[in-house]
Amino acid sequence: MSESKDILNELLRSGSKKAYEAFFKHYYQDLFLWANSILKNSEAAEDVVQEFFISFWEKKRYKSVSSNLQSYIYRAVKNACLNYLQREKKLIHDIENLEEKESAPKANEQSIENSQLIYSAINELPEKCKEVFMLCCVSGYTYNEAAEELGVSMNTVRTHMVRAFKMLREKLKSPHLFYMLFFHK
């Protein structure tokens, strides 16, 4: 700890390149190992540590260290590593989004085709059945609310919904399309 204080005092006192070189030589290897243990990537660890040392010297960060230099530099390198990981995570996320967008036209074509099949099946429902179905499934009415809106009994609404579901299952044939009808926007 005494050596750490001596290095900090020398940096603060003289601000010389010689003091900085002593600081660099004393801490580089340990900081590199620390960063590598966090990042699990030696090249990235080397970059992070070098960037730390450059910033520490150019921005004279040693002037903001009040007491424990070692604690300060390890925390700074840890934070730099976490920032690096966050940037990498965002970069990976951005690349995945780009890949999704590149494949989206194919998925969109299928989705449009599926939507057309679903709307066609709904439009083929008998008029009252379709009206009840649209109120309950599209507008989000409860059976009670739909019954009040249409001036019919709740049993009539229930009967229309049972018929609508049965007809849609038969027309859509694919469980996937029937599932899309209710769970995909």
Side-chain angles (χ1 to χ4, degrees):
M1 186 67 101
S2 154
E3 191 174 359
S4 176
K5 280 189 178 184
D6 291 344
I7 291 171
L8 177 59
N9 287 335
E10 181 60 28
L11 273 172
L12 287 171
R13 187 182 62 73
S14 70
S16 70
K17 285 187 178 184
K18 184 178 177 186
Y20 177 74
E21 285 174 20
F23 165 70
F24 180 87
K25 287 177 183 175
H26 184 77
Y27 285 108
Y28 180 83
Q29 188 62 33
D30 290 339
L31 289 176
F32 168 75
L33 293 172
W34 171 242
N36 196 32
S37 73
I38 296 168
L39 298 174
K40 312 287 189 258
N41 178 334
S42 61
E43 289 176 10
E46 190 175 335
D47 289 345
V48 165
V49 172
Q50 286 175 358
E51 286 173 22
F52 162 76
F53 277 109
I54 291 168
S55 173
F56 191 81
W57 175 252
E58 287 179 349
K59 296 181 180 178
K60 299 189 183 324
R61 295 202 190 278
Y62 52 86
K63 290 183 177 182
S64 64
V65 179
S66 56
S67 60
N68 191 340
L69 175 66
Q70 189 167 338
S71 186
Y72 174 88
I73 63 175
Y74 276 89
R75 187 173 56 253
V77 168
K78 176 185 173 189
N79 289 339
C81 288
L82 296 176
N83 288 339
Y84 175 86
L85 290 172
Q86 192 66 30
R87 285 190 308 270
E88 285 296 302
K89 184 177 177 183
K90 184 183 179 327
L91 181 62
I92 289 169
H93 179 70
D94 289 348
I95 289 170
E96 287 172 352
N97 280 346
L98 184 59
E99 289 171 353
E100 281 178 23
K101 286 179 182 176
E102 288 174 353
S103 66
K106 292 176 189 168
N108 262 350
E109 288 174 19
Q110 185 63 46
S111 181
I112 290 169
E113 189 176 308
N114 289 342
S115 295
Q116 288 172 338
L117 289 171
I118 291 168
Y119 289 123
S120 175
I122 292 170
N123 283 329
E124 291 176 21
L125 292 172
E127 197 56 42
K128 269 293 187 196
C129 206
K130 180 168 78 172
E131 187 177 11
V132 170
F133 180 83
M134 295 298 282
L135 283 175
C136 293
C137 292
V138 176
S139 300
Y141 283 40
T142 64
Y143 285 10
N144 248 352
E145 292 168 336
E148 282 180 31
E149 177 78 22
L150 298 171
V152 296
S153 73
M154 196 165 76
N155 280 338
T156 302
V157 169
R158 199 174 282 128
T159 301
H160 281 303
M161 288 300 291
V162 168
R163 279 189 195 140
F165 286 136
K166 182 179 178 190
M167 294 170 123
L168 289 171
R169 258 192 309 272
E170 288 171 4
K171 288 181 194 274
L172 296 175
K173 292 184 179 145
S174 163
H176 170 72
L177 288 175
F178 192 71
Y179 174 83
M180 278 183 60
L181 180 64
F182 299 103
F183 300 106
H184 284 69
K185 301 276 180 198

